[in-house]
Amino acid sequence: MKAMILAAGIGSRMQPLTKDTPKPLLEINGLSLIEHSMNNLKNYGINEFIINVSYLGDQIKNSLKSIEGISKLIFLDEPFPYGTGGALLNARDSLGADPFILSTSDIMFSPDLSKVPDIVDTAHLLATRNPDHNQGGDFSLNEESVFVNEGPNDYTYSGISVLNPRILDEYDSKDYPFDLWGTILTPLINSSRVTGHYDDSFWIDVGTPERLKLARTVLKDQN
């Protein structure tokens, strides 16, 4: 199975830390955020990676070009960030026909990927507990069926999923940028075609300087 890691964002909420450094290269205990994500995937036998880059993308390329344990590494340049959905569409030829793992590059998460399905009809989402900054959650689960309440939801989308690339087929002519959740996943969820499961592993969305500091402290304490 291949993995795609989203790494093209500007990281505006991380300013001034991202003025000269792309967010995926911010470090936690000696490793960049994107290396932490890649190492978690490599631990489960993933050795083919597709990474989209835009803002300060050359820094990401140079940082990862000699990384070990990878059989294939493809960088896809975006002249401007295409959005999470647009990034997938731009990667369509590189993704192939089989389901793949999608991960953001700004999370600290060590899920049990042995529980992730190899075959999905559309999408399978990994859920995590609702953090303080997203207490209303993103979705709920009825066994493994994903649905969204009008009110509070039980879980937050962890940033990791398994996607069948054929869900991109109807968006071939859509203009960039567009997002994965609102444009692609929401209609599938509304038609009860998305599955998911909860993983209680350590998880932090490293989206602000405060949460970056928290992740550094927690990981240091764990070690």
Side-chain angles (χ1 to χ4, degrees), residues 138-187:
D138 297 319
F139 63 87
S140 297
L141 292 170
N142 180 6
E143 295 184 349
E144 285 201 341
S145 180
V146 172
F147 66 96
V148 177
N149 286 315
E150 291 186 6
N153 284 279
D154 297 329
Y155 303 109
T156 289
Y157 174 44
S158 68
I160 291 183
S161 56
V162 180
L163 303 179
N164 190 316
R166 69 184 179 189
I167 66 176
L168 304 171
D169 290 348
E170 63 183 280
Y171 300 98
D172 280 345
S173 59
K174 187 167 181 59
D175 292 334
Y176 305 133
F178 64 95
D179 73 314
L180 170 64
W181 186 269
T183 303
I184 301 175
L185 290 181
T186 295

Coordinates of all heavy atoms in Angstrom, one line a residue, residues 138-187:
D138 N -16.0 16.0 14.7 CA -16.2 16.0 13.3 C -17.3 15.0 12.8 O -18.0 15.3 11.9 CB -14.9 15.7 12.6 CG -13.8 16.7 12.8 OD1 -14.2 18.0 12.9 OD2 -12.7 16.4 13.0
F139 N -17.3 13.9 13.5 CA -18.3 12.8 13.0 C -18.5 11.9 14.2 O -17.8 11.9 15.2 CB -17.8 12.1 11.8 CG -16.5 11.3 11.9 CD1 -16.5 10.0 12.4 CD2 -15.3 11.9 11.6 CE1 -15.3 9.3 12.5 CE2 -14.1 11.2 11.8 CZ -14.1 9.9 12.2
S140 N -19.5 11.0 13.9 CA -19.8 9.9 14.9 C -19.8 8.6 14.2 O -19.7 8.6 12.9 CB -21.2 10.2 15.6 OG -21.2 11.4 16.3
L141 N -19.9 7.5 14.9 CA -19.9 6.2 14.3 C -21.1 5.4 14.8 O -21.4 5.4 16.0 CB -18.6 5.5 14.7 CG -17.3 6.0 14.2 CD1 -16.1 5.3 14.8 CD2 -17.2 5.7 12.6
N142 N -21.7 4.7 13.9 CA -22.7 3.6 14.2 C -22.0 2.3 13.8 O -22.0 2.0 12.6 CB -24.0 3.9 13.4 CG -25.0 2.8 13.7 OD1 -24.8 1.9 14.6 ND2 -26.1 2.8 13.0
E143 N -21.4 1.6 14.8 CA -20.5 0.5 14.5 C -19.3 1.1 13.6 O -18.6 1.9 14.1 CB -21.2 -0.6 13.8 CG -22.2 -1.3 14.8 CD -22.9 -2.5 14.2 OE1 -22.7 -2.8 13.0 OE2 -23.5 -3.2 14.9
E144 N -19.2 0.8 12.3 CA -18.2 1.4 11.5 C -18.7 2.4 10.5 O -17.9 2.9 9.7 CB -17.4 0.3 10.8 CG -16.4 -0.5 11.7 CD -15.3 -1.2 10.9 OE1 -15.4 -1.4 9.7 OE2 -14.3 -1.5 11.5
S145 N -20.0 2.6 10.5 CA -20.5 3.6 9.6 C -20.4 5.0 10.1 O -20.8 5.3 11.2 CB -22.0 3.3 9.3 OG -22.6 4.2 8.4
V146 N -19.8 5.9 9.3 CA -19.6 7.3 9.6 C -20.8 8.1 9.3 O -21.4 8.0 8.3 CB -18.4 7.9 8.9 CG1 -18.3 9.4 9.1 CG2 -17.1 7.2 9.3
F147 N -21.2 9.0 10.3 CA -22.3 9.9 10.1 C -22.0 11.2 10.8 O -21.1 11.2 11.7 CB -23.7 9.4 10.5 CG -23.8 9.1 12.0 CD1 -24.5 10.1 12.8 CD2 -23.4 7.9 12.5 CE1 -24.6 9.8 14.1 CE2 -23.6 7.7 13.9 CZ -24.2 8.7 14.7
V148 N -22.6 12.3 10.5 CA -22.4 13.6 11.1 C -23.7 14.1 11.7 O -24.7 14.2 11.0 CB -21.9 14.6 10.0 CG1 -21.7 16.0 10.7 CG2 -20.5 14.1 9.4
N149 N -23.6 14.3 13.0 CA -24.8 14.9 13.7 C -24.9 16.4 13.4 O -23.9 17.1 13.1 CB -24.6 14.7 15.2 CG -24.9 13.3 15.7 OD1 -25.8 12.7 15.2 ND2 -24.0 12.8 16.5
E150 N -26.1 17.0 13.5 CA -26.2 18.4 13.4 C -25.6 19.1 14.7 O -25.1 20.2 14.6 CB -27.7 18.8 13.3 CG -28.3 18.4 12.0 CD -29.7 18.9 11.8 OE1 -30.2 19.7 12.7 OE2 -30.4 18.6 10.8
G151 N -25.7 18.4 15.8 CA -25.1 18.9 17.0 C -23.7 18.3 17.2 O -23.0 18.0 16.3
P152 N -23.3 18.2 18.5 CA -22.0 17.7 18.8 C -21.8 16.2 18.3 O -22.7 15.4 18.2 CB -21.9 17.7 20.3 CG -22.9 18.7 20.7 CD -24.0 18.6 19.7
N153 N -20.6 15.9 17.9 CA -20.2 14.6 17.4 C -19.2 14.0 18.4 O -18.5 14.6 19.1 CB -19.6 14.7 16.0 CG -20.7 14.9 15.0 OD1 -21.4 13.9 14.5 ND2 -20.9 16.1 14.5
D154 N -19.1 12.7 18.3 CA -18.3 11.9 19.3 C -16.8 11.9 19.0 O -16.0 11.7 19.9 CB -18.8 10.4 19.3 CG -20.3 10.3 19.7 OD1 -20.7 11.1 20.5 OD2 -20.9 9.4 19.2
Y155 N -16.4 12.1 17.8 CA -15.0 11.9 17.4 C -14.5 13.0 16.5 O -15.3 13.7 15.8 CB -14.8 10.6 16.7 CG -15.3 9.4 17.5 CD1 -16.4 8.7 17.1 CD2 -14.6 8.9 18.6 CE1 -16.9 7.6 17.8 CE2 -15.0 7.8 19.3 CZ -16.2 7.2 18.9 OH -16.6 6.1 19.6
T156 N -13.2 13.1 16.5 CA -12.5 14.0 15.6 C -11.7 13.2 14.6 O -11.2 12.2 14.9 CB -11.5 14.9 16.4 OG1 -12.2 15.9 17.2 CG2 -10.5 15.7 15.5
Y157 N -11.7 13.7 13.3 CA -10.9 13.1 12.3 C -9.5 13.3 12.6 O -9.0 14.4 12.8 CB -11.3 13.7 10.9 CG -10.4 13.3 9.8 CD1 -10.1 11.9 9.6 CD2 -10.0 14.2 8.8 CE1 -9.4 11.5 8.5 CE2 -9.2 13.8 7.8 CZ -8.9 12.4 7.6 OH -8.2 12.0 6.5
S158 N -8.7 12.2 12.7 CA -7.3 12.2 13.1 C -6.4 12.7 12.1 O -5.3 13.1 12.4 CB -6.9 10.7 13.4 OG -6.8 10.0 12.3
G159 N -6.8 12.8 10.8 CA -5.9 13.2 9.7 C -5.4 12.1 9.0 O -4.6 12.2 8.0
I160 N -5.7 10.8 9.4 CA -5.3 9.6 8.6 C -6.5 8.9 8.1 O -7.5 8.7 8.9 CB -4.4 8.7 9.5 CG1 -3.1 9.4 9.8 CG2 -4.2 7.4 8.8 CD1 -2.1 8.5 10.6
S161 N -6.5 8.4 6.9 CA -7.6 7.7 6.3 C -7.0 6.7 5.3 O -5.9 6.8 4.8 CB -8.6 8.7 5.7 OG -8.0 9.5 4.7
V162 N -7.9 5.8 4.8 CA -7.6 5.0 3.7 C -8.6 5.4 2.6 O -9.8 5.4 2.9 CB -7.7 3.5 4.0 CG1 -7.5 2.7 2.7 CG2 -6.8 3.1 5.1
L163 N -8.1 5.7 1.4 CA -9.0 6.2 0.4 C -8.9 5.3 -0.9 O -7.8 4.9 -1.2 CB -8.6 7.7 0.0 CG -8.7 8.7 1.1 CD1 -8.3 10.1 0.6 CD2 -10.0 8.8 1.8
N164 N -10.0 5.1 -1.5 CA -10.0 4.5 -2.8 C -9.9 5.6 -3.9 O -10.8 6.5 -3.9 CB -11.3 3.7 -3.0 CG -11.3 2.8 -4.3 OD1 -10.8 3.3 -5.3 ND2 -11.7 1.6 -4.1
P165 N -8.9 5.6 -4.7 CA -8.7 6.7 -5.6 C -9.8 7.0 -6.6 O -9.9 8.1 -7.2 CB -7.4 6.4 -6.3 CG -7.2 4.9 -6.2 CD -7.8 4.6 -4.8
R166 N -10.7 6.0 -6.7 CA -11.8 6.2 -7.7 C -12.8 7.3 -7.2 O -13.6 7.8 -8.0 CB -12.5 4.9 -8.0 CG -13.3 4.3 -6.8 CD -13.9 3.0 -7.2 NE -14.7 2.4 -6.1 CZ -15.1 1.1 -6.1 NH1 -14.9 0.4 -7.2 NH2 -15.8 0.6 -5.1
I167 N -12.7 7.6 -5.9 CA -13.6 8.7 -5.4 C -13.2 10.1 -6.1 O -14.0 11.0 -6.0 CB -13.6 8.8 -3.9 CG1 -12.2 9.3 -3.4 CG2 -14.0 7.5 -3.3 CD1 -12.2 9.5 -1.9
L168 N -12.1 10.1 -6.7 CA -11.6 11.3 -7.4 C -12.2 11.5 -8.8 O -12.1 12.5 -9.4 CB -10.1 11.4 -7.4 CG -9.4 11.3 -6.1 CD1 -7.9 11.1 -6.3 CD2 -9.7 12.5 -5.2
D169 N -12.7 10.4 -9.4 CA -13.0 10.4 -10.8 C -14.0 11.5 -11.2 O -13.8 12.1 -12.3 CB -13.6 9.0 -11.2 CG -12.6 7.9 -11.1 OD1 -11.4 8.2 -11.0 OD2 -13.1 6.7 -11.2
E170 N -15.0 11.8 -10.4 CA -16.0 12.8 -10.8 C -15.5 14.2 -10.7 O -16.2 15.2 -11.0 CB -17.2 12.6 -10.0 CG -17.1 12.8 -8.5 CD -18.4 12.6 -7.8 OE1 -19.3 13.4 -7.8 OE2 -18.6 11.5 -7.3
Y171 N -14.2 14.4 -10.2 CA -13.7 15.7 -9.9 C -12.6 16.1 -10.9 O -11.8 17.1 -10.7 CB -13.2 15.9 -8.5 CG -14.3 15.6 -7.5 CD1 -14.4 14.4 -6.9 CD2 -15.2 16.6 -7.2 CE1 -15.4 14.1 -6.0 CE2 -16.2 16.4 -6.3 CZ -16.3 15.1 -5.7 OH -17.3 14.9 -4.8
D172 N -12.5 15.3 -12.0 CA -11.4 15.5 -13.0 C -11.3 16.9 -13.5 O -10.2 17.4 -13.8 CB -11.5 14.5 -14.1 CG -11.0 13.1 -13.8 OD1 -10.3 13.0 -12.8 OD2 -11.4 12.2 -14.5
S173 N -12.4 17.6 -13.7 CA -12.4 18.9 -14.3 C -12.6 20.1 -13.2 O -12.7 21.2 -13.6 CB -13.5 19.0 -15.3 OG -14.7 18.8 -14.8
K174 N -12.5 19.7 -12.0 CA -12.8 20.7 -10.9 C -11.5 21.6 -10.8 O -10.4 21.2 -10.8 CB -13.1 20.1 -9.6 CG -13.6 21.1 -8.6 CD -14.2 20.4 -7.4 CE -14.6 21.5 -6.3 NZ -15.6 22.4 -6.9
D175 N -11.8 22.9 -10.6 CA -10.7 23.9 -10.5 C -10.1 23.8 -9.0 O -10.8 23.6 -8.1 CB -11.2 25.3 -10.7 CG -11.5 25.5 -12.2 OD1 -11.0 24.8 -13.1 OD2 -12.4 26.4 -12.5
Y176 N -8.8 24.0 -8.9 CA -8.1 24.2 -7.6 C -8.4 25.6 -7.1 O -8.5 26.5 -7.9 CB -6.6 23.9 -7.8 CG -6.3 22.6 -8.4 CD1 -5.3 22.6 -9.4 CD2 -6.8 21.4 -8.0 CE1 -4.9 21.4 -10.0 CE2 -6.4 20.2 -8.6 CZ -5.5 20.2 -9.6 OH -5.1 19.0 -10.2
P177 N -8.3 25.7 -5.8 CA -8.2 24.7 -4.7 C -9.6 24.2 -4.3 O -10.6 24.9 -4.5 CB -7.6 25.5 -3.6 CG -8.1 26.9 -3.7 CD -8.2 27.1 -5.2
F178 N -9.6 23.0 -3.8 CA -10.8 22.5 -3.1 C -10.4 21.5 -2.1 O -9.3 20.9 -2.1 CB -11.9 21.9 -4.1 CG -11.4 20.7 -4.9 CD1 -11.7 19.4 -4.4 CD2 -10.7 20.8 -6.1 CE1 -11.3 18.3 -5.1 CE2 -10.3 19.7 -6.8 CZ -10.6 18.4 -6.3
D179 N -11.3 21.2 -1.1 CA -10.8 20.4 0.1 C -11.4 19.0 0.0 O -12.4 18.8 -0.7 CB -11.2 21.1 1.4 CG -12.7 21.1 1.7 OD1 -13.5 21.4 0.8 OD2 -13.0 20.8 2.8
L180 N -10.8 18.1 0.7 CA -11.2 16.7 0.8 C -12.5 16.6 1.6 O -13.4 15.9 1.1 CB -10.1 15.9 1.4 CG -10.4 14.4 1.8 CD1 -10.8 13.6 0.5 CD2 -9.3 13.8 2.5
W181 N -12.6 17.2 2.7 CA -13.7 16.9 3.6 C -15.0 17.5 3.0 O -16.0 16.7 2.9 CB -13.4 17.5 5.0 CG -14.5 17.2 6.0 CD1 -15.7 17.9 6.3 CD2 -14.6 16.0 6.8 NE1 -16.4 17.2 7.2 CE2 -15.8 16.0 7.5 CE3 -13.7 14.9 6.9 CZ2 -16.1 15.0 8.4 CZ3 -14.1 13.9 7.8 CH2 -15.3 14.0 8.6
G182 N -15.0 18.8 2.7 CA -16.3 19.4 2.3 C -16.7 19.0 0.9 O -17.9 18.8 0.7
T183 N -15.8 18.8 0.0 CA -16.1 18.6 -1.4 C -16.3 17.1 -1.7 O -17.3 16.7 -2.4 CB -15.0 19.1 -2.3 OG1 -14.9 20.5 -2.1 CG2 -15.4 18.9 -3.8
I184 N -15.4 16.2 -1.2 CA -15.4 14.8 -1.6 C -16.1 13.9 -0.5 O -16.9 13.1 -0.8 CB -14.0 14.3 -1.8 CG1 -13.4 15.2 -3.0 CG2 -14.0 12.9 -2.2 CD1 -11.9 14.8 -3.3
L185 N -15.6 14.1 0.8 CA -16.1 13.2 1.8 C -17.5 13.4 2.3 O -18.3 12.5 2.5 CB -15.1 13.2 3.0 CG -13.7 12.6 2.8 CD1 -12.9 12.7 4.1 CD2 -13.8 11.1 2.3
T186 N -17.9 14.7 2.4 CA -19.2 15.0 2.9 C -20.4 14.3 2.1 O -21.3 13.7 2.7 CB -19.4 16.5 3.0 OG1 -18.5 17.0 4.0 CG2 -20.9 16.8 3.5
P187 N -20.4 14.4 0.8 CA -21.4 13.7 0.1 C -21.4 12.2 0.3 O -22.5 11.6 0.3 CB -21.1 14.1 -1.4 CG -20.3 15.4 -1.4 CD -19.5 15.2 -0.1

